[in-house]
Amino acid sequence: MSTSPDIAVVIGGASGIGWATAQLMAARGDTVAIADLDGDAATARAAELGGRTSGHRVQVTDEHSMRTVFDTITERHGAIGAVVDCAGISRPGTIADLSLADWKATIDVCLTGAFLSVKEATRTVRDGGSVVLVASLNGRQPGVAMSAYCSAKAGVLMLTEVAAMELAPRRIRVNAVNPGFVHTPLTSGAGLVPGLVEEYVENTPLGRAGTPEDVAQTIGFLTSDAASWMTGSAIDLNGGAHTMRYPNIIERIADMSAANGATDA
Ligand SMILES: NC(=O)c1ccc[n+]([C@@H]2O[C@H](COP(=O)([O-])OP(=O)(O)OC[C@H]3O[C@@H](n4cnc5c(N)ncnc54)[C@H](O)[C@@H]3O)[C@@H](O)[C@H]2O)c1
C-alpha cells in the first residue's frame, strides 16, 4: 500500500496543476521529484521546496528521455511510490483547420506522454504504489475546435482502465482526474477571448472555475491510503460542468473578431 511519506514523481510539475500537486505532496512529507520539459523551471521549483526535492528535465513524448529521468530519480531517491502525469498542451482549431502537426503534437504530449508515464511506472514503481493521470472534462465532454485534445484525453481515460487491470496483480493503483476549467498558464489564452471563461462558469452549477489546488487535493487523495480500494477510476472535478455543455470557442472568437471589426470600422 502507498504510504506517506513516500517518493513521488510529478511530471509537468513546474507549473499549474503539477506545481500545486508537488507542493501538496512535499507538505505532507513526500520526497518529490519534479520533471518537466522546462528543466530550469523544474530545478527552480525544486529549490523553492527545498529538502530532498529534485528537479529534472524530461520530454514526455520521448521514451529515452523518460527512461533516463526515471532511472535518475530511482538512483537518487529509491523506489518510487507515486507517479503523477500532469504534462499537457492544447492546440485548438476546428477539424477543417487543425494542422496534422498540431493534431500529432497534442496526441503525443497528452496521450503518448501518459502511456510512457505508465510504462515507466511499471518498471520503477514499487508494488502497492500508485499512478495518477490528469485527463480532463474534455475526455468526456466535447468542445468545438478541441478535437485533438478531447480525443487524447478520452484516450487517457481508457488507458487508465487498461493500466489498472494490468497493474492490479502488483497492487499498483492507476486512476485519473478530470478537471474542468482551471486557471493556469495553459488556459491563460482563454482569458483573452471575451466571454469564454464566463460561458464556462455559466455552465458550471457551482459557478466558478477551478484552482490548481482544487485538483492537487484530489490527486493527493488518490495517491494516499484513503483511496486504497480505488483503481481504474476517473474523478470528475469541475464544479458540476459535466452536467451541462462546454463553451463554443469558435463562436466566441467570431464574436470577438466581429467586435474588433466594428471598432476598426
Ligand atoms: N488548466 C485546465 O483548465 C485543465 C483542465 C483539464 C485538464 N488539464 C490538464 O492538466 C494538466 C496540467 O495542465 P496545467 O493547466 O497545469 O498546464 P500548465 O501549462 O500550467 O502545466 C503543464 C506543464 O507541463 C509541461 N509540459 C508540457 N509539455 C511537456 C512535455 N512534452 N514534456 C514534459 N513536460 C511538458 C509544461 O512545461 C508545464 O510545466 C494537463 O494534462 C492538462 O491537459 C488542465
Side-chain angles (χ1 to χ4, degrees), residues 1-8 25 28-31 79-82 126-130 171 173 220 222-226 228:
M1 190 178 294
S2 183
T3 51
S4 203
D6 211 334
I7 312 295
M25 294 179 112
R28 75 181 182 189
D30 293 341
T31 296
I80 295 167
R126 60 172 164 69
D127 290 0
S130 73
R171 292 174 296 102
R173 300 177 300 102
L222 286 172
T223 54
S224 77
D225 289 351
S228 64

Side-chain angles (χ1 to χ4, degrees), residues 15 17 36-37 59-60 86-87 134-135 149 153 179-180 182 184 186-187:
S15 176
I17 292 167
D36 201 286
L37 187 61
Q59 167 57 275
V60 282
C86 302
V134 179
Y149 189 77
K153 294 300 189 177
V182 179
T184 69
L186 183 76
T187 53

